[in-house]
Amino acid sequence: MSAPLIEMRGITKSFGAVKANEAVDLSVAPGEILGLLGENGAGKTTLMNVLFGAYAPDAGEILVEGRPVTINSSADALAAGIGMVHQHFHLAPRLSVLENLLIGIPGKSGRIDRAGGLARLAEIGRQHGLTLDPDLPVAALSVGEQQRLEIVKALFRGARLLILDEPTAVLAPTEVDGLFAALRSMAAQGLGIIFISHKLNEVRALTHRCVVLRHGRVAGRVDDPANTTSSEMARLMCGHEIVPPARGPSTPGAAVLTLDGISTSRHSGMALRDVSLFVRAGEILGIAGVSGNGQRALAEVISGVAAPDAGRMTIAGKKVEQFSPRAVQALGLGRIPEDRMTTGLVTNLPLADSMVLPRIGTEAFSRKGLLKPDAIRAFAEAQIKAYDIRCPGPMTRAGALSGGNLQKALLARELAFDPQVLIVSQPTRGLDIGAARFIHEKFLDMRAKGCGIIVIGEDLEELLMLCDRIAVMYEGRIAGTLDSADATIARLGLLMTGAGQTEEAA
Amino acid sequence: MFRLEARTSTPAWFNLALPLLAIAATLILCSGLIALAGARVVEAYGVMFSASLGDSYAITETLVRATPMIFTGLAVAVAFRAKFWNIGAEGQLLAGAVASCAVGAIPMPGPLAMLLMAVAGAAAGAAVALVPATLRVKFKVDDVVSSLLLNSVIFYALMALIEGPWKDTFSGYPISPPIEDSANFPVLMEGTRLHVGVLAALVAAPLIWFLIARTTLGFRIRVTGENPEAARYGGINVERVLLSTALLSGGLAGLAGVGEVGGVHFQVMSDISPGYGYSGIVVAMLARLNPLGVVPAAIFLAAVMTGAEAMSRATGVPAFLSDVIQGTALLAMLVALLFTAYRIRRVGVAR
Ligand SMILES: Nc1ncnc2c1ncn2[C@@H]1O[C@H](COP(=O)(O)OP(=O)(O)O)[C@@H](O)[C@H]1O
Ligand SMILES: [Mg+2]
């Protein structure tokens, strides 16, 4: 193998008492895709931020092509040929794709070199299949396209090493394939790539070599990911064996949620067209489908956020007369939103506030318009303990918690009130194996207690493991419903593309 | 080389330290202007201090001046908590003044007059604030612009009133007829202007604090301001919360006008407010939107205002300095707020 493109030696970085990185060694050769694995909080982002110049390391050195360098800013990193695609994108939404690309790039005699930019954009698009419309404003791009723009931006600035921090967390499965093709094409041209993920199947499919971090230290290295089992890697990540929870047989009871001919029209995304489905007590219904086929509208109707134009819905046998979050909640519905940060929590307020938010008007937390601060605090403290939510206390800013802990907090706030029906979207998106495992167990516990659960998801393996039945959405309709005994990834995949939707309509 | 680095948490002592730091920075920055005006800085600030806080009479005068700013500061703090950008406290104050003046001119027993003046003034302020809030909720009109522009509308309506139907036919001055003597607010301390409204302002601050911190409405205001989407999904009627906030905010600003009419001027004239509504924004920002912090912040600005006049007489520095200090204090506080989210780190120089 050729000399390493980048080498990090003995990198240590602490935040107060937290050692985010400790004596980490890592190197990437030209043409190599290195996987950086680890649970949430293992220190992956911190390590890459050190490499990209956002943090100065407390100890250790960085070598680019064998020469030691000091990287104090992203400008230094870019000058050294290091590009990074962050978990949260850094784009100007009102500017066009081309303008975003040219920000900070000096043109000829102070003028912007539009023609040159267009040519390079087209060339990069051709080489790696990363095509983008140069004139579209960034606000009009999908998340996948914004990510593509971030990658193109890095290449545009001459990156020879590309860091991608959990790039697949925001992508639909189909988009992941496109990303992987582009990354392989870049590696074939001699670029080094650092790919961060905690999805083991992705890491095994894509990377040439892996470094596994645990509690800031290197827990192990994997030289042949394709031929290493997922459970072996999971053990390196967590330090112990992870066995998926077993879903026992169920004896579903009466229907706790029914939708009958629900249609919507006014909607930002795909509308619902004549959707009928039911969930019984003690069963888990999966909603599969390529994202954008009406899942969001379905979740909004069931959560009471949007009212349908036609059709009826019942919760626990009672017809929903008024579609509002409060009304459906009063009937016994619990909801865990897809987007924890925007529709679930209030990141700038104490965690306790988010935990009581949906029920602040109930006797549990207030009386005659006056809050019960002690009850609120006690509730939050009890849930923090019961769900092992890692945080300094109920008054911590919610935004300071990691994704897994936030998801636990949301789960706790709904489950504490024994909902009859629970609707969840993408329940484990962005969570590591340990946290995902915990969430799955809770769902199965609720199922055993007779709760009816709807899981909207894109991860088919997860749905197959959790669900008793799986309905597939296609263009706003239910294309078909399969019993999990009959469901396979292939059959679900077929329904997801719209094929064969007539034969198995529910 | 220095760099800003994001913070994960803000220490509690920042709440006190930042405003003090901002005030210190303001006084240092403005000392340059005093020197430029040809006065000695220490002497000028000394006069400012003794004239505003130096003896008990000066303190009462400063409190009287702080009162309308406590009300407008509370109005702005409440509104900004919900991210209802009410820049219209000035207009709401004027509306409150006009309404209470109209009521106060009707002969009736004193206590009843005071009560009705307060109710009418608060209602008028609330009605004015409801306009930008409704425009925003119904038509997504930017509330900064609409509430700001409404100030001019109200001001010229007031001018039309005192140049027209309310004009003093006797003297010909554009001032309204005075309110009934029985409606004049009682004075708390003989020989001073310390009126009942001052007490009301000092009581209002903890009440508003309680409302924000301890009631479900306050909870809904806080959540709506921080994340309207989560609020909506959590079953909060965001539109209703915004409208309630506007009523509350406008009502408080209206009370500022009531106090000026009932306790200080006993009538309405064109310069009844030297920009107390705008000063309320500075006060609320210095207080970091904490209703309890509004009281010291308002007293600081009031001390600057009363002090600046005395300083001007004693040293010849123009009294406009008071406006400069206000503006500088706001900017300094905005800069200081940056440090709640970021810290400065020294980094080595790139090789
Ligand atoms: N800016 C920061 N200030 C304080 N602690 C931090 C900061 N960034 C990360 N940490 C802590 O460092 C550890 C590693 O975090 P991170 O690098 O984000 O992990 P990962 O990306 O693997 O999930 C965590 O315990 C996290 O809480
Ligand atoms: Mg990370």
Side-chain angles (χ1 to χ4, degrees):
Chain A
M1 200 172 272
S2 42
L5 192 61
I6 297 282
E7 203 177 344
M8 300 179 86
R9 285 188 192 155
I11 299 290
T12 297
K13 171 76 193 169
S14 305
F15 295 107
V18 180
K19 280 213 160 164
N21 292 139
E22 204 175 347
V24 178
D25 296 335
L26 162 160
S27 71
V28 189
E32 185 178 43
I33 305 181
L34 178 80
L36 186 57
L37 271 168
E39 297 205 274
N40 288 324
K44 308 179 295 289
T45 298
T46 304
L47 186 66
M48 290 303 112
N49 276 331
V50 166
L51 184 53
F52 196 61
Y55 299 136
D58 302 333
E61 56 175 354
I62 298 171
L63 293 85
V64 174
E65 288 170 337
R67 278 176 299 111
V69 292
T70 310
I71 300 176
N72 272 327
S73 66
S74 55
D76 291 354
L78 288 166
I82 302 168
M84 182 157 174
V85 178
H86 294 270
Q87 261 167 305
H88 305 284
F89 304 143
H90 298 174
L91 296 168
R94 282 172 193 237
L95 298 186
S96 73
V97 165
L98 185 67
E99 285 162 341
N100 266 280
L101 214 51
L102 294 173
I103 290 172
I105 296 196
K108 286 184 204 107
S109 61
R111 254 190 282 138
I112 290 171
D113 181 11
R114 228 185 110 80
L118 276 173
R120 275 286 282 149
L121 180 63
E123 185 192 327
I124 293 171
R126 220 173 19 251
Q127 276 181 345
H128 306 299
L130 294 167
T131 45
L132 285 166
D133 179 347
D135 296 319
L136 229 48
V138 163
L141 301 184
S142 72
V143 176
E145 287 168 327
Q146 292 184 25
Q147 184 178 72
R148 205 179 295 166
L149 175 55
E150 284 282 17
I151 296 174
V152 172
K153 240 171 80 183
L155 297 180
F156 202 86
R157 285 159 173 69
R160 286 168 297 152
L161 176 85
L162 188 64
I163 305 165
L164 296 116
D165 195 351
E166 300 199 25
T168 59
V170 295
L171 297 184
T174 42
E175 292 174 310
V176 171
D177 295 339
L179 171 69
F180 281 12
L183 294 182
R184 288 197 185 98
S185 149
M186 288 182 242
Q189 290 202 348
L191 253 78
I193 290 169
I194 300 182
F195 175 82
I196 302 184
S197 179
H198 41 234
K199 294 189 188 152
L200 298 171
N201 50 354
E202 290 175 0
V203 170
R204 292 177 55 214
L206 180 71
T207 64
H208 301 135
R209 220 157 47 82
C210 288
V211 172
V212 184
L213 291 184
R214 186 166 79 232
H215 302 315
R217 297 172 150 275
V218 175
R221 294 172 197 273
V222 181
D223 285 330
D224 186 8
N227 293 313
T228 309
T229 62
S230 289
S231 63
E232 222 166 300
M233 286 199 229
R235 203 176 46 242
L236 284 176
M237 270 167 65
C238 320
H240 55 85
E241 213 75 45
I242 293 276
V243 261
R247 178 167 51 90
S250 75
T251 45
V256 286
L257 174 81
T258 65
L259 271 66
D260 197 4
I262 295 278
S263 296
T264 61
S265 59
R266 304 163 274 114
H267 221 276
S268 47
M270 172 75 69
L272 297 180
R273 291 192 268 162
D274 193 21
V275 168
S276 299
L277 55 80
F278 64 89
V279 187
R280 290 169 293 190
E283 87 172 339
I284 303 182
L285 172 71
I287 305 285
V290 177
S291 75
N293 274 286
Q295 292 96 324
R296 178 169 293 250
L298 181 68
E300 289 190 356
V301 167
I302 296 177
S303 319
V305 177
D309 297 307
R312 56 179 253 139
M313 180 166 117
T314 67
I315 293 173
K318 288 194 232 32
K319 180 165 186 269
V320 178
E321 303 284 356
Q322 186 206 348
F323 280 81
S324 78
R326 241 192 275 190
V328 297
Q329 178 187 300
L331 291 173
L333 184 110
R335 157 187 169 273
I336 296 176
E338 169 174 1
D339 198 332
R340 301 187 266 270
M341 295 291 199
T342 58
T343 65
L345 298 146
V346 189
T347 47
N348 264 335
L349 293 182
L351 176 65
D353 286 359
S354 286
M355 294 193 72
V356 299
L357 166 56
R359 290 181 184 75
I360 193 64
T362 65
E363 276 288 306
F365 302 124
S366 67
R367 190 141 188 276
K368 296 203 173 119
L370 295 187
L371 299 179
K372 296 178 178 169
D374 296 337
I376 292 172
R377 208 191 166 94
F379 173 78
E381 264 163 10
Q383 301 307 323
I384 286 170
K385 212 158 152 204
Y387 283 79
D388 187 26
I389 298 166
R390 304 275 166 82
C391 68
M395 300 316 282
T396 317
R397 263 185 64 235
L401 272 67
S402 74
N405 284 309
L406 288 180
Q407 191 71 330
K408 282 184 185 175
L410 288 177
L411 198 64
R413 91 171 177 196
E414 297 303 328
L415 298 195
F417 291 88
D418 277 323
Q420 309 226 34
V421 198
L422 184 65
I423 176 161
V424 300
S425 291
Q426 317 288 357
T428 59
R429 176 177 278 184
L431 302 195
D432 62 51
I433 313 174
R437 165 78 212 261
F438 179 89
I439 303 285
H440 290 156
E441 268 173 12
K442 281 288 168 196
F443 289 163
L444 292 173
D445 285 354
M446 288 302 288
R447 168 178 176 265
K449 281 203 228 159
C451 177
I453 305 177
I454 302 190
V455 180
I456 300 178
E458 285 174 7
D459 183 343
L460 294 180
E461 281 173 31
E462 178 179 44
L463 291 179
L464 284 168
M465 182 194 76
L466 276 178
C467 302
D468 299 293
R469 290 182 299 128
I470 299 178
V472 178
M473 289 198 80
Y474 180 71
E475 298 204 327
R477 299 176 194 278
I478 301 286
T481 307
L482 300 176
D483 265 341
S484 65
D486 312 328
T488 59
I489 291 197
R491 292 189 70 184
L492 290 171
L494 210 60
L495 284 171
M496 281 165 64
T497 59
Q501 55 176 316
T502 42
E503 42 165 325
E504 303 194 59
Chain B
M1 214 169 70
F2 294 94
R3 193 170 56 196
L4 290 177
E5 205 171 272
R7 270 178 195 284
T8 47
S9 64
T10 324
W13 53 267
F14 268 48
N15 290 327
L16 200 61
L18 286 181
L20 292 179
L21 214 72
I23 288 171
T26 303
L27 296 181
I28 292 169
L29 285 171
C30 292
S31 62
L33 289 177
I34 296 175
L36 220 60
R40 275 193 304 256
V41 173
V42 178
E43 186 196 332
Y45 280 141
V47 172
M48 234 169 133
F49 180 82
S50 60
S52 58
L53 299 166
D55 56 68
S56 58
Y57 179 75
I59 291 176
T60 63
E61 275 301 291
T62 299
L63 280 177
V64 168
R65 217 185 250 265
T67 296
M69 290 190 284
I70 293 178
F71 278 119
T72 56
L74 290 173
V76 173
V78 166
F80 282 15
R81 275 296 180 96
K83 297 227 162 65
F84 165 53
W85 301 117
N86 184 10
I87 314 294
E90 182 74 10
Q92 291 144 25
L93 178 155
L94 295 179
V98 167
S100 63
C101 185
V103 170
I106 305 167
M108 63 182 116
L112 180 66
M114 278 167 55
L115 182 72
L116 290 186
M117 281 168 74
V119 169
V128 171
L130 209 50
V131 174
T134 312
L135 287 174
R136 170 167 154 191
V137 167
K138 291 268 186 282
F139 306 110
K140 297 200 163 56
V141 176
D142 188 279
D143 42 3
V144 174
V145 176
S146 60
S147 65
L148 176 67
L149 293 183
L150 208 52
N151 288 339
S152 305
V153 175
I154 307 278
F155 176 75
Y156 287 111
L158 180 145
M159 289 299 286
L161 199 60
I162 55 181
E163 293 273 17
W166 273 9
K167 190 165 185 164
D168 190 336
T169 45
F170 194 65
S171 71
Y173 287 128
I175 48 177
S176 78
I179 56 174
E180 291 285 314
D181 283 351
S182 61
N184 291 2
F185 288 1
V187 171
L188 299 173
M189 210 195 275
E190 199 65 36
T192 70
R193 296 200 295 169
L194 205 63
H195 57 89
V196 168
V198 179
L199 200 64
L202 294 178
V203 172
L207 281 181
I208 295 298
W209 174 85
F210 184 85
L211 181 116
I212 293 287
R214 289 290 152 81
T215 67
T216 47
L217 176 62
F219 183 92
R220 293 188 172 119
I221 287 176
R222 281 182 280 140
V223 170
T224 299
E226 289 292 347
N227 186 348
E229 275 305 294
R232 192 185 308 281
Y233 273 83
I236 291 175
N237 186 335
V238 172
E239 286 75 27
R240 200 159 70 193
V241 170
L242 282 174
L243 295 177
S244 317
T245 307
L247 289 176
L248 187 62
S249 173
L252 285 163
L255 287 177
V258 175
E260 290 308 279
V261 168
V264 182
H265 301 292
F266 315 114
Q267 60 191 175
V268 170
M269 62 282 199
S270 63
D271 57 353
I272 188 162
S273 162
Y276 287 140
Y278 299 106
S279 302
I281 299 170
V282 185
V283 167
M285 292 307 289
L286 279 174
R288 297 200 61 198
L289 307 189
N290 181 336
L292 295 180
V294 161
V295 174
I299 291 175
F300 165 69
L301 282 200
V304 168
M305 288 178 186
T306 35
E309 283 160 16
M311 178 191 68
S312 172
R313 281 192 298 273
T315 65
V317 177
F320 291 123
L321 187 72
S322 132
D323 292 342
V324 177
I325 290 182
Q326 261 192 69
T328 312
L330 178 59
L331 289 177
M333 191 59 198
L334 291 176
V335 171
L337 285 178
L338 193 69
F339 296 106
T340 58
Y342 296 94
R343 74 171 100 231
I344 292 185
R345 258 182 85 103
R346 230 198 117 95
V347 294
V349 180
R351 246 180 273 168

